[in-house]
Amino acid sequence: MIYPCILSGGIGSRLWPLSRKDRPKQFLPIFGGESLFQKTCKRVSGEGFSDPIVIGGDSHRFLMGEQLAEIDTAATTILLEPVGRNTAPPALMAALLAYEQDPNALILLLPSDHLIGKEDVFMTAVHHARDAALSGKIVTFGITPTEPNTGYGYIKLEPGSDPIRGVAAFVEKPDLERAKAFLADGAHVWNAGIFLYSAKTMIQAFKTYQPALSEAITALMATRHGDLDFTRLDEDGFAALENISIDYAIMEKADNVVCAPMAPDWDDLGSWSAIWGVLDKDGSGNSAIGDARFLDCKECLAYADQRLVSVIGLEDVMVIATTDSVLVAHKDKAQDVKKVVEQLESEGRSETERHPRTYRPWGYTERINAGDRFAVQSMMIKPGKRLSLQSHLHRAEHWVVVSGTLEITINGQVSLLTENQSAYVPLGAQHTLHNPGRIPVRMIEVQSGTYLQEDDIVRHS
């Protein structure tokens, strides 16, 4: 049995303003209505695979749970990382989790933010790699390069034509001249960051090459405990782990590493220009997501979130419009979006941190407008879900139901609201919301008061 371990960390800052810390690129449903996270989960489902082990950030826990539910997938474990510690700790954590279930388990470790166009080619490579992993090899997957890309690490293969090749060396991201040479010699592949190995092989590799980290992670796993559908670890112990990639920790040291080269039409979608590259295009090479129009444009990209975007007389330009931010850039400058994000972060701007839509265990909220003494947001409450009983010290609230049936409790008084009905919650009143129906409740909340931040909540249950 292969246990897929899906890593859903990362921010994807080059895809700002759509990708943000609280809703990064792997969770954006911009590929046929599905996210890269969902596509990754579906790719490694079915015969021969267990339900996935998902390892991701604590702040994304409800996104992971929601998106798994949308594709009717139940994870064996959703392990929460209080802070990012790169890929080495998750590689061992997945091995320890799988080993508890099956000492002969194989783990397929893969990022959740990659797009694979030819999934049959990928699955064929996994099939070829399976026997090697069972024999005690650690298999890394390499992508046959299509261009002299300087943004990827490379793997130099030993001579041969077998589906599983020896690894001569791991190569850091090269300059352009070296990348051109790698493309020409045919002996180098891109390092995809995807690995297949047996649980016991990886456990032994950590004991051999990273004994201190192995001991720390093994002790940390003993602290795990449940929280709703999630598994948590001791936060201080996790934060104390070394921040190191699996490549540096194990791959570059071990003598049992092999590579499965493949050409599955792969892309890590690290920039908006990469997104443009995989989208359908009109006769002039323009691509659109959402309600966008082009006039006298060539090879442009437009993303429209809840509004119309029109682009006129431009070439090789990207226009990304979200509800609170707009990015306009030449495609050649796609990598520089990260610099804008860094500048905004230095200014303390919230647009890099928070997406207008915030997911909760019961649904989500989405900002509409805000001022000095008011804030307006839409809310969706899932069927059967309830908010905690709470009150506020500095704000009052007004609720208007748009659709569905909402049960409200204000200072112990219970009543039902339906479409177009409203209720007022005075400052200091204890209140809660509950959706007793079978369809989502959609509503508008208007907050007014002297302080409107999220920490003005007193929870009573």
Side-chain angles (χ1 to χ4, degrees):
M1 180 73 72
I2 296 178
Y3 287 70
C5 178
I6 298 170
L7 306 181
S8 62
I11 298 171
S13 60
R14 291 181 180 87
L15 292 182
W16 183 85
L18 194 57
S19 180
R20 308 189 187 189
K21 288 183 179 179
D22 70 350
R23 194 184 181 198
K25 72 172 182 177
Q26 61 267 30
F27 299 114
L28 302 175
I30 58 177
F31 302 97
E34 290 184 333
S35 69
L36 293 171
F37 173 78
Q38 290 172 316
K39 286 183 174 294
T40 304
C41 292
K42 292 173 69 174
R43 185 178 304 128
V44 290
S45 61
E47 187 177 356
F49 292 97
S50 75
D51 289 334
I53 298 168
V54 177
I55 301 180
D58 176 53
S59 61
H60 302 148
R61 61 193 183 280
F62 299 126
L63 273 170
M64 293 185 285
E66 179 79 14
Q67 295 205 351
L68 286 168
E70 287 177 358
I71 59 174
D72 197 26
T73 296
T76 58
T77 302
I78 303 178
L79 188 64
L80 302 181
E81 298 177 302
V83 292
R85 283 297 176 261
N86 218 308
T87 54
L92 179 56
M93 290 173 182
L96 293 170
L97 287 169
Y99 188 84
E100 291 177 357
Q101 303 299 317
D102 177 6
N104 297 312
L106 297 181
I107 293 91
L108 181 62
L109 187 76
L110 64 168
S112 63
D113 58 354
H114 293 178
L115 185 67
I116 293 180
K118 298 177 181 178
E119 296 195 349
D120 57 332
V121 174
F122 172 72
M123 295 310 301
T124 297
V126 172
H127 174 74
H128 287 313
R130 186 176 182 275
D131 288 342
L134 286 172
S135 71
K137 302 293 186 182
I138 302 175
V139 185
T140 181
F141 292 80
I143 307 298
T144 303
T146 56
E147 60 179 1
N149 197 300
T150 61
Y152 302 139
Y154 284 71
I155 301 169
K156 184 178 181 180
L157 303 176
E158 292 182 350
S161 58
D162 293 337
I164 303 298
R165 307 267 292 276
V167 173
F170 286 88
V171 184
E172 295 289 341
K173 296 175 182 179
D175 58 27
L176 183 58
E177 291 306 312
R178 290 188 74 204
K180 288 180 178 178
F182 292 165
L183 182 64
D185 67 24
H188 291 78
V189 291
W190 293 332
N191 188 346
I194 302 172
F195 307 94
L196 182 68
Y197 51 85
S198 73
K200 55 189 175 185
T201 294
M202 188 57 70
I203 292 170
Q204 185 57 52
F206 269 84
K207 289 179 178 179
T208 301
Y209 302 108
Q210 298 290 336
L213 185 58
S214 173
E215 184 176 342
I217 292 173
T218 302
L220 182 63
M221 290 296 284
T223 71
R224 69 185 190 271
H225 54 279
D227 177 12
L228 299 176
D229 296 329
F230 312 107
T231 299
R232 294 186 179 276
L233 299 167
D234 178 74
E235 292 189 12
D236 292 337
F238 200 104
L241 294 178
E242 183 179 0
N243 189 345
I244 186 171
S245 71
I246 186 65
D247 295 279
Y248 286 133
I250 301 297
M251 298 299 158
E252 296 184 6
K253 296 178 172 63
D255 58 5
N256 59 337
V257 177
V258 295
C259 182
M262 58 181 180
D265 195 12
W266 169 92
D267 202 311
D268 73 345
L269 299 178
S271 67
W272 280 112
S273 59
I275 298 288
W276 170 82
V278 301
L279 293 175
D280 293 335
K281 299 171 180 60
D282 64 17
S284 298
N286 302 306
S287 296
I289 302 175
D291 193 4
R293 301 291 186 273
F294 299 100
L295 178 63
D296 295 330
C297 292
K298 293 182 180 180
E299 301 193 348
C300 290
L301 169 66
Y303 174 86
D305 186 358
Q306 301 183 16
R307 65 190 67 194
L308 170 66
V309 171
S310 298
V311 186
I312 302 174
L314 298 178
E315 185 173 347
D316 289 321
V317 168
M318 311 176 300
V319 181
I320 315 299
T322 67
T323 55
D324 64 349
S325 303
V326 178
L327 168 71
V328 181
H330 195 278
K331 292 215 302 286
D332 288 347
K333 298 295 183 179
Q335 297 295 328
D336 290 341
V337 174
K338 185 175 183 178
K339 297 179 181 178
V340 174
V341 172
E342 292 170 350
Q343 179 180 339
L344 293 173
E345 288 178 337
S346 70
E347 297 171 2
R349 296 293 297 258
S350 64
E351 288 89 343
T352 65
E353 298 273 346
R354 297 192 300 273
H355 194 276
R357 178 174 292 187
T358 301
Y359 286 87
R360 306 295 189 188
W362 43 262
Y364 63 77
T365 64
E366 188 162 6
R367 297 194 309 273
I368 297 174
N369 200 356
D372 290 339
R373 294 182 58 88
F374 78 92
V376 183
Q377 64 181 8
S378 64
M379 299 173 62
M380 186 278 286
I381 304 174
K382 293 183 286 188
K385 296 298 183 178
R386 180 188 300 272
L387 281 69
S388 62
L389 182 65
Q390 57 190 256
S391 61
H392 308 291
L393 299 176
H394 302 286
R395 73 174 186 252
E397 295 175 340
H398 195 123
W399 301 326
V400 181
V401 175
V402 177
S403 62
T405 299
L406 179 67
E407 179 188 271
I408 66 170
T409 303
I410 303 175
N411 285 334
Q413 184 69 37
V414 181
S415 58
L416 291 177
L417 299 181
T418 57
E419 185 173 329
N420 291 324
Q421 292 184 321
S422 63
Y424 174 70
V425 185
L427 185 150
Q430 293 189 20
H431 59 277
T432 185
L433 302 171
H434 172 226
N435 180 356
R438 296 187 177 184
I439 63 172
V441 166
R442 300 187 185 277
M443 56 179 284
I444 301 296
E445 179 181 81
V446 180
Q447 304 172 356
S448 60
T450 57
Y451 185 79
L452 304 175
Q453 301 303 313
E454 281 296 306
D455 56 356
D456 179 28
I457 295 180
V458 179
R459 299 191 189 278
H460 303 279
S461 68

